[in-house]
Amino acid sequence: MRFAAILLLLLISALPLRAQDEEVVLGLSQNRVAITASFDGSEILVFGAVKRQAPIPEQPMEVIITVAGPDGPVTLHRKARKAGIWVNADTVRIDRAPSFYAVATTGPLDKILSQTEDLRHEVSIPRAVRSVGVSEVVADPGNFTDALIRIRENEGVYQQLDGEVTFDQQTLFRTKITLPSNLTEGSYPTRIFLTRGGAVVADFETVIDVRKVGLERWLFVLSRNQPVVYGVLSLVIAVVAGWLASAVFRWFRR
């Protein structure tokens, strides 16, 4: 009996896998962003198509596109008034939070993606922020996560873009993601999810590379590899700039 079960498993594994009925074919207006001294932001056009092996089903499809910046820990402080002064009452460390996160969709995210799928793929902004262990420090960990999201939404680095994905004839899709000027250098994973009835039926991922170039890159590398030289150079530049400003001021007074 055991031998028969093993044989059946081997036969099943030997069968060719069925090709995915719907797949993503993706394009980007640019897959590399250069941060220069005059960099004031950028706009990425994300576009693509749905490749099908069968006729379009009757149930409509939805598209979700996410772009995430490098993540890292974040420390949050909650202030309270004690003895007439404001002090840090609670301090919480968020394990992981993306430096940038944008979610663009064809419709309201909570309508086109189930909570189970959101938990599985970490699509929504709250799911992208990892705060495991915070509940052991404070009684209301959700307030700290909400505060972080609210602050970064106001800064423009967290973006919820419901209805910003155009989907033509259930085949061609496109959207624009605005990258702010205060970008963190690194790789920006870009994911596309095709959903139907709240469930993910196909997904695709690529990467946008964000790097400093020119003088910005040289100064960044110098500050990391030779901090003493970087500090001396900064001091020299500050002294020279101060001397020039003083000289110009004296010249105008004559």
Side-chain angles (χ1 to χ4, degrees), residues 96-149:
R96 185 194 71 190
S99 57
F100 173 85
Y101 198 77
V103 184
T105 68
T106 50
L109 183 60
D110 59 347
K111 302 296 183 182
I112 65 176
L113 185 71
S114 68
Q115 293 185 4
T116 301
E117 292 286 60
D118 188 16
L119 178 63
R120 175 186 175 190
H121 296 282
E122 297 182 343
V123 176
S124 65
I125 295 176
R127 292 297 181 189
V129 177
R130 185 178 178 84
S131 56
V132 177
V134 176
S135 58
E136 300 175 1
V137 181
V138 294
D140 54 347
N143 289 341
F144 285 86
T145 301
D146 293 342
L148 174 64
I149 294 173

Side-chain angles (χ1 to χ4, degrees), residues 28-64:
L28 296 171
S29 60
Q30 59 186 94
N31 56 12
R32 182 178 176 84
V33 176
I35 301 178
T36 62
S38 59
F39 180 77
D40 60 353
S42 183
E43 190 174 70
I44 301 293
L45 173 62
V46 183
F47 59 93
V50 180
K51 179 181 178 182
R52 292 186 171 87
Q53 304 292 337
I56 301 177
E58 293 184 2
Q59 189 175 21
M61 172 178 285
E62 305 290 348
V63 180
I64 302 170

Side-chain angles (χ1 to χ4, degrees), residues 26 44 63 83 98 102 114 202 204 215 232-233 241-242:
L26 180 68
I44 301 293
V63 180
S114 68
F204 181 87
L215 179 61
V232 172
L233 180 62

Side-chain angles (χ1 to χ4, degrees), residues 178-211:
T178 301
L179 303 178
S181 58
N182 55 338
L183 285 179
T184 301
E185 186 181 37
S187 299
Y188 283 60
T190 301
R191 300 181 296 168
I192 291 83
F193 298 95
L194 305 180
T195 69
R196 181 174 283 112
V200 174
V201 296
D203 63 281
F204 181 87
E205 181 172 342
T206 187
V207 174
I208 299 172
D209 193 38
V210 177
R211 300 293 172 187

